[in-house]
Amino acid sequence: MKQLVAGFLGALAMCVALVMPVQAEVRKDTLALQDNHPKTYVVVKGDTLWDISGMFLKTPWKWPQLWGFNQQIDNPHLIYPGDVLTLKWVDGQPRLVLNDGIIRLSPKAKVTRLKDAIPAIPLKDIIGFLSDNIVMDSDELTAAPYIVGSTNNRIVAGAGDRVYARGTLVEDYSRQNIYRPAREYIDPVTQEHLGYELFKIGEAAVGSKTDDIITLDLRKTREEVSALDRVYPSQKESIQSIFYPSSAEEEINGRILSVLRGVRQAGQYDVVAINQGAREGLEPGDVLTIFRAGEKLKDPVTQELIILPSEESGMMMIFKAYEKVSYALILNATNVIAIDDEVRNPS
């Protein structure tokens, strides 16, 4: 009998040894939930998918997995205020389902406008930067026509005025934008020229072209148009409004170049520029972790200047990637975020 029991225990131990690695692998792949996550949540106006996922997940950029393989939420961008979300476990993975998974039939049709759907991120904080800020390299800036003056020798002009530019239109469209160079981006590590940031100050209609002189009638202006402002075509492509957060495929080690509101420090939902772009493999939707640069201190014993370790201070998502520069929205901040802070792939 003892031999039988011993044999059984030995076989059981072998089974456990075989099963445990598989179980460990499953647990490793399981999404990490917040300790105090709710079991249900009612969507309210002003929510974003990032905010909702952050209530449930420690890594909210993995929210597509939280909604994954859900027949009720085949397009998570069509979730509306009033919807009830319930956390379920499916094949060992957490999943969010609508209305506790119960489908209720009704003879009355429900019509909901698409614009009322909950967005992935707060678009109101970046919509201006999607359409109004651009980055050009030196050659592009040099090739773009520039304003030389306006009628009656006025120094500045506004909506309803006529101005003149010199050069050749980049694209021969009837409508053009007026941009003003704001700053030059220089890589703080390599000192490489990364491009020029320009912001849109107006829109104009092309009146006529004589040799290299272009007549423009200003339609809309945010600021007064003056000499050396640049003429560049309106972007034909539609503005991207749906973003799918994900971790960048390439290894990213970058720095924050600027805070686009004109200050040195930033917080949640501020927009920043970083010294990495499409050249480094970044795409809209890529999520990066922000690390506050370590402070410099003098060792009181040796008098040496030492640099403290960098500390994690927030999370950002790329929403516009140029060749060498990208714009990102700060999604959360646990500390003050400033120019020259580091950005890396999320762990």
Side-chain angles (χ1 to χ4, degrees):
M1 183 67 180
K2 292 182 179 180
Q3 292 179 348
L4 181 62
V5 171
F8 173 76
L9 292 176
L12 180 60
M14 291 179 63
C15 290
V16 170
L18 291 171
V19 171
M20 282 184 67
V22 176
Q23 290 177 331
E25 185 176 349
V26 171
R27 291 196 186 99
K28 183 179 180 181
D29 187 52
T30 301
L31 292 172
L33 294 173
Q34 295 281 14
D35 296 333
N36 58 344
H37 66 81
K39 293 182 179 179
T40 62
Y41 179 73
V42 180
V43 180
V44 299
K45 186 176 181 180
D47 276 341
T48 65
L49 292 179
W50 179 274
D51 294 332
I52 295 173
S53 297
M55 297 178 190
F56 293 90
L57 295 178
K58 293 182 178 179
T59 52
W61 68 90
K62 295 182 179 180
W63 64 260
Q65 298 177 42
L66 186 65
W67 309 93
F69 308 107
N70 192 328
Q71 295 179 353
Q72 290 180 285
I73 316 178
D74 55 352
N75 184 348
H77 296 280
L78 298 182
I79 295 175
Y80 300 91
D83 283 344
V84 179
L85 304 175
T86 302
L87 186 67
K88 295 286 188 178
W89 287 85
V90 180
D91 297 329
Q93 293 284 359
R95 295 284 183 261
L96 278 181
V97 298
L98 281 175
N99 300 322
D100 201 19
I102 301 173
I103 301 176
R104 295 178 176 83
L105 300 179
S106 172
K108 187 181 295 184
K110 179 183 178 182
V111 179
T112 310
R113 293 177 298 178
L114 289 178
K115 71 176 183 179
D116 293 332
I118 298 301
I121 60 173
L123 291 174
K124 64 181 179 63
D125 292 294
I126 65 170
I127 193 67
F129 299 106
L130 284 172
S131 58
D132 297 340
N133 285 60
I134 60 174
V135 176
M136 293 183 181
D137 61 30
S138 299
D139 293 338
E140 289 176 311
L141 185 63
T142 302
Y146 54 90
I147 301 295
V148 294
S150 61
T151 55
N152 301 321
N153 290 320
R154 281 176 294 185
I155 299 176
V156 295
D161 292 334
R162 174 166 288 181
V163 296
Y164 301 93
R166 190 174 188 188
T168 302
L169 292 174
V170 177
E171 296 287 352
D172 195 15
Y173 300 152
S174 60
R175 298 297 292 264
Q176 300 282 329
N177 289 335
I178 311 296
Y179 289 94
R180 179 165 296 160
R183 73 191 87 196
E184 180 184 12
Y185 284 131
I186 301 293
D187 192 298
V189 179
T190 66
Q191 301 304 306
E192 177 190 8
H193 166 80
L194 302 177
Y196 293 95
E197 179 190 280
L198 296 89
F199 65 93
K200 179 180 171 182
I201 61 172
E203 299 176 7
V206 177
S208 63
K209 291 174 287 183
T210 304
D211 296 329
D212 62 347
I213 302 299
I214 307 163
T215 302
L216 298 163
D217 293 315
L218 298 177
R219 301 300 189 196
K220 298 179 182 178
T221 55
R222 295 179 178 176
E223 297 186 18
E224 294 177 320
V225 176
S226 59
L228 298 181
D229 288 338
R230 297 288 170 163
V231 180
Y232 203 73
S234 302
Q235 295 180 338
K236 285 274 187 174
E237 69 270 17
S238 59
I239 295 174
Q240 180 173 346
S241 60
I242 296 177
F243 297 89
Y244 294 93
S246 62
S247 178
E249 294 185 2
E250 304 296 330
E251 183 177 355
I252 301 297
N253 288 289
R255 299 285 186 89
I256 293 179
L257 294 171
S258 70
V259 180
L260 269 64
R261 297 188 188 279
V263 294
R264 288 194 57 84
Q265 296 183 335
Q268 186 179 32
Y269 299 150
D270 279 336
V271 173
V272 297
I274 67 170
N275 65 335
Q276 307 275 282
R279 179 179 64 175
E280 285 76 27
L282 284 176
E283 298 178 350
D286 285 344
V287 174
L288 299 173
T289 303
I290 307 167
F291 289 84
R292 182 157 180 76
E295 297 181 17
K296 296 180 181 179
L297 295 178
K298 182 179 288 187
D299 188 306
V301 176
T302 66
Q303 301 302 307
E304 293 177 301
L305 189 65
I306 59 175
I307 300 177
L308 300 180
S310 301
E311 295 184 355
E312 186 173 331
S313 60
M315 191 75 63
M316 64 166 58
M317 192 197 77
I318 303 297
F319 65 83
K320 203 169 188 180
Y322 292 94
E323 182 63 19
K324 303 175 185 178
V325 174
S326 294
Y327 289 152
L329 178 70
I330 297 176
L331 293 169
N332 58 42
T334 56
N335 199 345
V336 175
I337 293 171
I339 293 173
D340 210 36
D341 281 355
E342 302 168 9
V343 294
R344 308 175 202 159
N345 305 70
S347 56

